[in-house]
Amino acid sequence: MATQEEVFKKLVSHCKEYGFVFPSSEIYDGLGAVYDYGQNGVELKNNIKRYWWMAMTRLHENIVGIDASIFMHPTTWKASGHVDAFNDPLIDNRDSKKRYRADVLIEDEMAKYDAKIEKEVEKARKRFGDAFDEQKFRETSPRVKENLDKKEALHARYAKAMNDNDLAELKQIILDYEIVDPVSGTKNWTDVRQFNLMFSTEMGSTADGAMKIYLRPETAQGIFVNYLNVQKTGRMKLPFGIAQIGKAFRNEIVARQFVFRMREFEQMEMQFFIKPGTELDWFAKWKQTRIKWHRALGLGDQKYRFHDHDKLAHYANAATDIEFEMPFGFKEVEGIHSRTNFDLSQHAKYSGKKIEYFDPETNESYTPYVIETSIGVDRMFLSVMCAAYNEEQLENGESRVVLNLPPALAPVKVCVMPLVKKDGLPEKAREIMNELKFDFNVQYDEKDSIGKRYRRQDAIGTPFCVTVDHDTLNDNCVTVRDRDTMKQERISIDKLHALINDKVSINNLLRKVAND
Ligand code: GAP
């Protein structure tokens, strides 16, 4: 059986081979941690964005959207704290000349204890067979306990160092745990230094005094600086939210795992403005609302977990990540943060403007608190692709690669195929396609055998294939083949639209999120 790492490699090649993701400027050998979405990738990505946008702005009458610019006045980033504190602790290995994030090296070390525990559990499962009681084993095995204790000791030391911003202690942990560079295999480390992740550029020509500006590292600040504009022009009453989808840029030190950590990526963020004192209730509510949105996709509830933060930013009073089980472990896809009134107060201070809310119920003015939900489009894309990618052995001895994508997110919803390229079948197939194309992304394919055409559509996750044969011209019926079950059904062309719509409509997903 292929290891998770091998499966992930195959997924990356699949993404390229089938037009989902290409390395950026590939003809020049690419650019580190920057990717382009191809013809199928962009459709999948747009569907993810649409699902999020509609869930935010249609299912909540008190959430509206904006589209702020990437460039912002540089004082924005001073006020938000990004100029002074948007740093990662980096460390270099003198032998390999490679640069790493010190926190990531330590987190990888902690993950080794988890892996050892899982190995013990698997060994015991094989030894005891059906009689194996996993929970009891985890609670009583001395080896599991030993590894758990070691992990917790490391975790406590690491969390304290991160909270205290103690760079010398981070280095000491790396030395004490004898963490080696995966490339050189040596422990020849430099000191740990802070590295600011913002990209900067200049606006205006040097002659008239160019201004240093930043490419936004998060979309959230575009929302904060527009809080008053939206509140006033939309006559919004607390609680209300502002949603935004857009590009963000970070000069990541360790850029790896494909589109998981990129230097240019896209975020979907929503800032929910509330009355101070109500934040922990709203934080709990948004955790539930967001996990429901993820689970409605049907990728498997066991693939998600919450991970509460040990290290809270100085302005936050609660924070959690929604993690998804990728082939390389549970990883953050979305963050939910209770950010107090930090950002609005800072912008009020730096701009000299009063940024408050007059509460008509209590007749008082105050700076609203904020709950933020922040999800990376690209990480969401990756989680969907990882869950969907399947190599299947079929009963007839053949195999197929199929993307079992949630139908509402699939790039192409239906492929219409004439059985042969003659006898009026292509014309009939195009007639069907031309009817469906106003509501669905439809492809037409007449090349190769039907079997090969099915495989091509399986590989991009198309939920339905529709075959037009000679009988179609007489009985007005077509054969519809389902991607997941591979079952074929003959139905009347009049019923085609409803059948497809029932399965692929984003509205059905939204109803699930709204009603559950
Ligand atoms: N405004 C809050 C904020 O930006 P964050 O946890 O730094 O919080 C939010 O980022 C989300 O953005 C993450 O959960 C992740 O999905 C995505 N993200 C962050 N950095 C990323 C990167 N380098 N590449 C891809 N996605 C990233």
Side-chain angles (χ1 to χ4, degrees):
M1 221 172 93
T3 62
Q4 292 289 69
E5 205 172 312
E6 285 162 350
V7 172
F8 190 59
K9 266 195 187 152
K10 283 190 189 171
L11 173 72
V12 175
S13 329
H14 190 87
C15 279
K16 187 169 164 210
E17 191 179 339
Y18 286 93
F20 283 89
V21 181
F22 307 123
S24 157
S25 29
E26 197 188 4
I27 55 168
Y28 297 104
D29 295 334
L31 184 65
V34 187
Y35 290 92
D36 297 341
Y37 286 83
Q39 67 279 16
N40 289 316
V42 68
E43 296 286 346
L44 172 52
K45 201 169 146 190
N46 283 343
N47 290 337
I48 291 172
K49 290 196 268 187
R50 208 165 126 237
Y51 174 41
W52 183 89
W53 186 259
M54 289 175 81
M56 284 295 172
T57 62
R58 298 262 179 103
L59 301 189
H60 303 274
E61 53 187 275
N62 57 352
I63 298 183
V64 292
I66 62 163
D67 183 17
S69 48
I70 288 170
F71 293 149
M72 299 179 70
H73 193 285
T75 309
T76 309
W77 305 110
K78 191 76 194 148
S80 68
H82 285 81
V83 171
D84 296 320
F86 193 52
N87 301 322
D88 273 345
L90 71 81
I91 189 165
D92 293 288
N93 183 273
R94 292 196 185 91
D95 298 320
S96 69
K97 309 268 183 276
K98 293 265 176 211
R99 181 161 285 179
Y100 298 91
R101 268 175 61 177
D103 55 333
V104 172
L105 287 177
I106 298 170
E107 279 172 12
D108 286 352
E109 188 66 18
M110 281 192 289
K112 285 187 190 159
Y113 293 117
D114 284 332
K116 281 185 189 159
I117 292 171
E118 293 317 308
K119 218 167 161 186
E120 288 298 328
V121 173
E122 281 320 301
K123 256 172 35 195
R125 193 191 308 284
K126 279 196 191 129
R127 202 167 51 225
F128 294 116
D130 289 344
F132 183 54
D133 180 341
E134 183 176 331
Q135 194 184 344
K136 193 164 168 210
F137 180 79
R138 283 182 188 274
E139 283 164 9
T140 54
S141 157
R143 290 208 184 182
V144 169
K145 184 172 180 327
E146 185 191 328
N147 280 305
L148 212 56
D149 288 348
K150 281 185 181 164
K151 182 186 152 191
E152 274 166 15
L154 172 55
H155 183 255
R157 214 176 140 187
Y158 162 67
K160 183 167 181 339
M162 289 295 280
N163 269 321
D164 297 349
N165 217 351
D166 187 344
L167 303 183
E169 170 67 352
L170 282 179
K171 177 168 181 189
Q172 200 52 49
I173 295 174
I174 289 171
L175 296 179
D176 290 351
Y177 280 80
E178 304 194 332
I179 296 174
V180 296
D181 174 0
V183 176
S184 67
T186 71
K187 290 174 263 177
N188 194 4
W189 297 110
T190 61
D191 286 343
V192 178
R193 300 188 304 284
Q194 292 290 23
F195 174 77
N196 193 288
L197 298 183
M198 281 198 295
F199 283 102
S200 64
T201 185
E202 293 196 339
M203 184 176 267
S205 74
T206 330
D208 53 36
M211 175 161 61
K212 179 176 176 181
I213 54 165
Y214 298 98
L215 275 72
R216 66 181 178 196
E218 61 169 15
T219 60
Q221 297 305 323
I223 294 179
F224 288 122
V225 299
N226 276 297
Y227 159 79
L228 277 182
N229 285 336
V230 175
Q231 194 270 320
K232 292 213 163 107
T233 58
R235 301 195 316 279
M236 309 298 287
K237 288 211 164 60
L238 249 52
F240 77 92
I242 305 179
Q244 175 170 221
I245 300 177
K247 289 271 182 153
F249 304 81
R250 295 183 190 177
N251 196 2
E252 298 283 0
I253 305 166
V254 182
R256 56 177 185 187
Q257 280 139 354
F258 195 36
V259 296
F260 183 79
R261 196 177 300 286
M262 300 200 288
R263 297 197 165 108
E264 172 179 342
F265 57 100
E266 215 167 347
Q267 289 185 317
M268 306 190 280
E269 299 202 291
M270 194 279 301
Q271 314 297 132
F272 198 67
F273 299 94
I274 52 175
K275 188 173 178 176
T278 63
E279 68 271 18
L280 293 181
D281 282 346
W282 280 113
F283 178 71
K285 274 189 197 139
W286 275 108
K287 270 175 82 169
Q288 290 319 310
T289 306
R290 292 304 305 145
I291 197 82
K292 208 161 139 187
W293 181 90
H294 285 277
R295 287 184 176 150
L297 289 169
L299 303 178
D301 289 1
Q302 77 290 353
K303 286 187 176 286
Y304 299 93
R305 71 179 188 195
F306 285 112
H307 172 243
D308 295 330
H309 285 207
D310 293 315
K311 185 186 181 217
L312 286 178
H314 58 282
Y315 50 81
N317 61 6
T320 195
D321 295 335
I322 295 178
E323 294 186 337
F324 186 82
E325 192 178 14
M326 308 270 188
F328 43 91
F330 273 94
K331 296 286 166 190
E332 174 191 346
V333 171
E334 172 159 5
I336 302 168
H337 313 125
S338 173
R339 291 178 77 127
T340 67
N341 60 4
F342 173 79
D343 302 86
L344 290 183
S345 305
Q346 284 292 99
H347 288 306
K349 185 170 140 197
Y350 278 79
S351 66
K353 309 267 177 347
K354 195 169 154 197
I355 307 181
E356 289 186 344
Y357 175 74
F358 175 73
D359 191 332
E361 279 169 24
T362 58
N363 270 341
E364 48 174 0
S365 289
Y366 50 78
T367 311
Y369 270 36
V370 169
I371 302 296
E372 160 184 82
T373 72
S374 173
I375 171 170
V377 181
D378 313 271
R379 285 197 191 173
M380 187 63 203
F381 175 98
L382 186 60
S383 61
V384 170
M385 285 297 269
C386 289
Y389 182 84
N390 274 310
E391 293 176 3
E392 278 182 6
Q393 287 302 323
L394 306 179
E395 280 168 10
N396 63 5
E398 288 178 14
S399 64
R400 68 166 180 162
V401 173
V402 56
L403 291 186
N404 299 107
L405 291 169
L409 302 186
V412 178
K413 305 303 186 197
V414 52
C415 181
V416 188
M417 316 168 166
L419 187 63
V420 289
K421 273 192 266 183
K422 55 183 184 180
D423 305 334
L425 303 192
E427 290 76 8
K428 185 71 186 170
R430 287 204 180 273
E431 190 186 305
I432 296 171
M433 175 177 152
N434 284 334
E435 225 6 78
L436 295 176
K437 74 180 177 193
F438 296 100
D439 292 308
F440 311 112
N441 190 12
V442 191
Q443 272 189 2
Y444 172 85
D445 191 2
E446 60 176 24
K447 284 189 216 84
D448 303 319
S449 68
I450 285 286
K452 275 195 183 155
R453 288 183 248 172
Y454 282 163
R455 292 291 171 274
R456 277 203 287 270
Q457 295 302 324
D458 287 344
I460 63 166
T462 306
F464 293 112
C465 288
V466 168
T467 308
V468 173
D469 57 25
H470 290 92
D471 289 340
T472 307
L473 304 180
N474 302 318
D475 64 7
N476 223 29
C477 288
V478 285
T479 304
V480 178
R481 184 252 196 192
D482 181 283
R483 175 196 70 195
D484 301 335
T485 62
M486 293 188 289
K487 289 219 170 82
Q488 301 187 12
E489 182 190 4
R490 193 139 181 102
I491 69 158
S492 157
I493 292 173
D494 316 336
K495 303 215 169 97
L496 206 48
H497 187 284
L499 178 99
I500 298 166
N501 194 56
D502 188 47
K503 189 139 179 186
V504 309
S505 158
I506 282 192
N507 294 357
N508 291 344
L509 268 186
L510 292 170
R511 277 179 206 285
K512 233 166 138 184
V513 177
N515 299 336
D516 258 8

